[in-house]
Amino acid sequence: MVIDITKCNGCYNCFLACRDEYCGNDYPPYSASQPNTGQFWMRIMEKERGKYPKVKVAYTAMPCMHCEEASCVKSAKEDAIYKRTDGIVIIDPKKSVGQKGFVSACPYRVIYWNEEKQIPQKCTFCAHLLDKGWKEPRCVEACPTGALTFGDLDDANSEVAKRMASGKVEVLHPEYGLKEKVSYIGLPKRFIAGAVVFGDTDECGEGAKVTLEGKGEKRVVKADNYGDFEFEGLSADKTYVVKVEKAGYKTHKIEVKTKVDIYLGDIVLAKTT
Ligand code: SF4
Ligand code: SF4
């Protein structure tokens, strides 16, 4: 599965479709029914970025990552959690009875405990539907913006394989080393934004050249007709220099560190004499 954060508007259709499929419905031997509350097989993490007047929200949908090197599978005995030949990781609803420890076997925390049934549960990639011939899980089918893509990575012509080959994908936590089978495009990082103003006329600084330079990185943009500019997808905790230039005005330089997303506010350019 490839999840494009830039296309997600936080409608929660994926989450609701998952609930609709699994609440009150058993699919032996794939899964037992999901309780009405307390489980989020497709969890949406909402992250607010920046500060007024430059605020953004990113929604990161998070199912089980169906890891190739799944720590949950390694922690389970007698195939209580197993990986199918197609890569889907399944918790056996019968063999896992009483195995509460599985909940903490996943660093992504996507395994939930069903108190009533005394079983651990999680996303199955809708394996019961795929085995019936469905091409994609319920959550992917329900997404109205095309943020979720699902398919066969071994098929080079599939949409998911094309997105994987785009060079833009990354996993949520590469440091876990689990070889996740869910990848993301556009994971929220840091941005630096601001607005250029011509000091002599108090007009928007349209067309001003804004250069961002950090260690091993250089980007150039032009301020738009409101004088606004933005650099997205920057590294966290990195020092950058923002340089604003326009013929007839003094060059303005600001050094910033991306501890958080940064809005520089109005950058007023003074006329050269
Ligand atoms: S995300 Fe967690 S539960 Fe899912 S396969 Fe990986 S380790 Fe297992
Ligand atoms: S793939 Fe199926 S089980 Fe997993 S989050 Fe989507 S709808 Fe739920």
Side-chain angles (χ1 to χ4, degrees):
M1 187 183 287
V2 177
I3 301 176
D4 188 343
I5 305 295
T6 64
K7 291 186 174 172
C8 177
N9 62 14
C11 73
Y12 281 75
N13 271 12
C14 56
F15 165 81
L16 291 169
C18 184
R19 281 276 166 99
D20 180 58
E21 185 68 19
Y22 293 95
C23 287
N25 298 321
D26 290 315
Y27 301 109
Y30 305 91
S31 55
S33 63
Q34 190 183 128
N36 286 335
T37 55
Q39 295 201 9
F40 306 88
W41 293 12
M42 179 59 95
R43 183 147 65 96
I44 315 288
M45 294 182 299
E46 188 176 318
K47 187 177 180 190
E48 216 175 274
R49 308 172 60 206
K51 61 180 182 183
Y52 178 84
K54 187 73 181 175
V55 182
K56 299 186 187 194
V57 182
Y59 301 94
T60 305
M62 207 172 106
C64 163
M65 304 288 147
H66 295 274
C67 313
E68 202 175 311
E69 300 286 344
S71 54
C72 61
V73 174
K74 288 177 186 163
S75 77
K77 293 194 180 86
E78 293 165 4
D79 287 342
I81 307 181
Y82 60 96
K83 183 147 49 72
R84 304 181 355 152
T85 50
D86 59 5
I88 295 176
V89 174
I90 298 284
I91 301 179
D92 187 305
K94 278 199 173 143
K95 291 183 182 171
S96 65
V97 172
Q99 301 283 353
K100 198 169 183 178
F102 290 167
V103 172
S104 47
C106 169
Y108 279 98
R109 296 283 170 183
V110 293
I111 300 179
Y112 299 88
W113 182 245
N114 186 324
E115 192 62 38
E116 189 197 330
K117 295 188 164 76
Q118 292 289 298
I119 52 168
Q121 294 181 286
K122 68 165 191 69
C123 157
T124 63
F125 260 179
C126 292
H128 66 291
L129 297 176
L130 300 179
D131 288 353
K132 274 198 246 169
W134 283 50
K135 297 288 178 229
E136 53 191 23
R138 284 287 308 270
C139 54
V140 178
E141 192 199 33
C143 177
T145 65
L148 307 181
T149 318
F150 182 88
D152 182 359
L153 278 179
D154 291 335
D155 174 3
N157 290 320
S158 68
E159 185 56 32
V160 78
K162 284 180 192 161
R163 284 197 188 184
M164 284 300 288
S166 68
K168 294 181 189 165
V169 295
E170 54 189 328
V171 297
L172 201 50
H173 287 292
E175 70 277 17
Y176 294 162
L178 299 178
K179 295 191 181 164
E180 296 86 337
K181 292 295 177 210
V182 175
S183 298
Y184 291 87
I185 294 173
L187 279 173
K189 296 201 169 57
R190 294 282 190 265
F191 71 77
I192 296 173
V196 184
V197 178
F198 296 134
D200 55 332
T201 58
D202 209 23
E203 294 284 333
C204 299
E206 181 178 3
K209 179 183 168 190
V210 189
T211 308
L212 178 93
E213 273 190 274
K215 211 174 174 187
E217 198 176 351
K218 183 175 177 179
R219 297 195 210 173
V220 181
V221 294
K222 284 255 160 79
D224 67 14
N225 53 335
Y226 298 106
D228 290 336
F229 66 88
E230 179 188 278
F231 299 99
E232 238 312 358
L234 302 173
S235 305
D237 292 325
K238 187 169 167 179
T239 301
Y240 292 93
V241 174
V242 176
K243 186 166 70 175
V244 184
E245 299 165 279
K246 180 75 182 172
Y249 293 88
K250 287 181 186 160
T251 296
H252 200 102
K253 272 189 187 179
I254 308 164
E255 189 177 286
V256 282
K257 192 167 182 186
T258 50
K259 279 187 182 161
V260 291
D261 296 293
I262 293 167
Y263 182 61
L264 295 166
D266 287 349
I267 298 169
V268 181
L269 295 186
K271 203 84 177 117
T272 46
T273 46

